[in-house]
Amino acid sequence: MKCGLIGRKLGHSYSPQIHKVLADYDYHLWELEPEQLEAFLHGRDFVGINVTIPYKQSVIPFLDEISDRAKSIGAVNTIVNRQGRLYGDNTDFFGMTALIGRLQLELSGKKVLILGTGGTSRTARAVALHLGAAEVYRLSRSGREGAITYEQAAALHKDAACVINTTPCGMYPAVEGCPLDLDSFPHLEGVVDAVYNPLRTNLVLAAQKRGIAAEGGLYMLAAQAAYASALFRGCEATIAEIDLAYQTVRYQMENIVLIGMPSSGKTTVGRLLAEKTGKVFVDTDELAEQAIGTSIADYFAARGESAFRDREQEAVAAVAAVGGQVIATGGGAILREENVTALRRSGRLFFLDRSPEKLVATADRPLSADAEALRRRYTERYALYCAAADFRVDGNGSVEETADLVEKEWIR
C-alpha cells in the first residue's frame, strides 16, 4: 500500500512519523515542481496521498471526483485512488476543527481574522463559519482576492476574537518571522497557527505571553492525518488515533531543555534523559567553546561577557532550530530573552532548582568561581529561571531522581 505527501518543499514535514503509528503502509515524500504535478497524478501510482503547499487547488482539475466539503472550500488536501479514479477530499477541515476544539475556543457570534489567502485559509474560513463565527475576514499584504490588508484589519477590526494563521510566516527554517502585531488586537481570545514546525511559532509565543490561548498546528496535522489515513484504509478515524499520532510525533520532535545554575546537574541529568528518551544530547556551553576555540573562562578574560553572550546566543539559536534533543544550557543563557524564545519554539524548559548550598563553585565558570559569587548569581537569576521555565523541578535529589522528575512532567 503506497501512500505519501506531495508538495514543493517537504523538508519540514512530520507526516511520515505520524502515518507510521497510524497504519502499516509505506509513506513517501514526493517533492514536485509545478510542471511535474500533472504527470504524477495521471500516473496514479499510489493508494492515497496528502497534498500541501502549493498544490491544494492545483490538483483539483486532475481529479475524477471531489467531496462536497472540498468543493465548497475550493481546496483538496487528500486524494484517494479508488480503482483508478481519483477522489479528493479536505481533511484539513477536520484537523482545524479539532485544534480549535482543543483550545476550547468559542467562535459562535465572534469576529475571526484569517491570515493568508491560500488553500488552508479557505479551509479556515469554512471551519470558522461552521463553528458559527459572525464575521470572517481573510488578510493579505496586497488586499487582493477579496481579502483586506493587515493595515485595514488593525484599523477596523480591533475587536477580533480569534486569529488563524495560514501563511508560512514563522515556519522552519525562517523561524524568526511573525505575521501580525498582536498589540493591535486587544480583545483576542485565541490564536491558531497552522504552522507546526517549529512547534510554537513566534506568533504563538507572543499570544501565550499575553495570556491568550494559542497553539501551533501539530494537533491539526495529527487530526487531519488520522482522517486521511482512515480514507486511505476505508475506515473511520477515532479520537484515540488522533491523540496517538499527536503524542507520538510530539515525543519524537519536542526538545527537553534544561536551565539552571552552574553545577545544578544540567549536563549529567541531560545525558541520562537522552538515554531514557532516545533523544540526542546537546550542551550549548560545549558548542560555544567549539565555536570560539578556547575555554569560556579564557574567552571571558580576553573578550568580556558581552562577546561571550553573543557566541552563546549563536549556539542556542543553532541547536534550538532542531527537534528531538535534550539540551543543557549554560547558567546564563536565560539572561537574553532571544535565547528563551528560541528554545521555546520547539522545546519545553525545565528549571533544575538545586539549593545554593549544594552548588559547587569552580574556576572554569567566570561568574561563579567562588562560593560567594555563586550565591550572588543564584539570587540575581532565580526569578529569571522561574519566569523562563515551563516547569520547576526539585534538583536536590540524585541524578536519577531529578531525571525521573523531568521525564514525568515532560510526558504529560
Side-chain angles (χ1 to χ4, degrees), residues 60-357:
I60 292 176
F62 306 112
L63 305 181
D64 299 298
E65 182 183 357
I66 65 173
S67 69
D68 290 340
R69 178 173 44 253
K71 285 179 183 177
S72 65
I73 293 170
V76 166
N77 82 310
T78 301
I79 300 172
V80 182
N81 185 346
R82 294 177 173 173
Q83 298 180 329
R85 289 178 58 82
L86 300 186
Y87 169 81
D89 205 341
N90 191 306
T91 61
D92 277 343
F93 180 93
F94 299 109
M96 184 160 287
T97 302
L99 176 56
I100 291 171
R102 175 178 168 84
L103 283 169
Q104 298 183 324
L105 297 180
E106 178 57 65
L107 301 190
S108 180
K110 305 290 180 61
K111 181 181 290 187
V112 177
L113 302 181
I114 297 171
L115 314 185
T117 57
T120 305
S121 80
R122 295 169 180 263
T123 302
R125 183 178 184 276
V127 169
L129 292 173
H130 173 74
L131 295 176
E135 300 177 64
V136 181
Y137 300 92
R138 294 197 296 165
L139 280 60
S140 74
R141 299 299 175 191
S142 66
R144 294 194 293 267
E145 300 182 50
I148 63 173
T149 66
Y150 285 75
E151 292 76 16
Q152 288 172 324
L156 302 175
H157 301 293
K158 291 182 179 294
D159 57 338
C162 180
V163 165
I164 303 175
N165 178 45
T166 68
T167 77
C169 186
M171 186 171 73
Y172 178 85
V175 296
E176 295 294 343
C178 186
L180 195 69
D181 180 3
L182 297 183
D183 287 337
S184 298
F185 305 93
H187 301 287
L188 282 178
E189 300 170 10
V191 170
V192 177
D193 198 332
V195 173
Y196 56 84
N197 186 6
L199 299 178
R200 288 166 285 277
T201 60
N202 282 353
L203 180 66
V204 169
L205 291 175
Q208 291 175 343
K209 187 175 182 179
R210 291 164 171 80
I212 301 168
E215 188 165 340
L218 187 62
Y219 195 81
M220 175 182 169
L221 177 70
Q224 72 81 21
Y227 280 99
S229 179
L231 282 174
F232 297 165
R233 293 174 285 143
C235 60
E236 296 292 326
T238 66
I239 295 298
E241 286 181 327
I242 294 173
D243 290 341
L244 172 64
Y246 172 73
Q247 294 294 0
T248 297
V249 75
R250 183 180 75 79
Y251 291 160
Q252 290 178 354
M253 303 309 298
E254 188 175 54
N255 292 328
I256 300 174
V257 182
L258 305 181
I259 64 174
M261 285 290 292
S263 76
S264 62
K266 299 186 297 292
T267 298
T268 51
V269 170
R271 291 188 188 281
L272 180 56
L273 277 169
E275 292 178 11
K276 289 162 68 70
T277 61
K279 293 180 178 293
V280 175
F281 174 75
V282 183
D283 187 312
T284 61
D285 273 353
E286 290 182 1
L287 291 179
E289 284 191 334
Q290 292 171 12
I292 61 182
T294 186
S295 70
I296 293 174
D298 287 346
Y299 194 83
F300 251 79
R303 303 289 297 274
E305 181 179 2
S306 180
F308 170 71
R309 296 300 174 201
D310 289 342
R311 304 291 82 74
E312 179 181 58
Q313 185 173 331
E314 292 166 0
V316 168
V319 73
V322 181
Q325 305 169 115
V326 177
I327 303 173
T329 61
I334 47 80
L335 296 176
R336 289 193 175 181
E337 183 62 28
E338 296 90 341
N339 292 338
V340 176
T341 297
L343 292 165
R344 277 181 171 160
R345 288 192 192 108
S346 289
R348 283 189 288 170
L349 279 60
F350 297 82
F351 170 28
L352 303 190
D353 187 6
R354 192 167 179 84
S355 301
E357 59 270 16

Side-chain angles (χ1 to χ4, degrees), residues 28 35-36 45 55 58 62 75 128 153 216 356:
H28 304 263
E35 62 270 18
Q36 298 174 296
D45 186 23
Y55 300 130
S58 305
F62 306 112

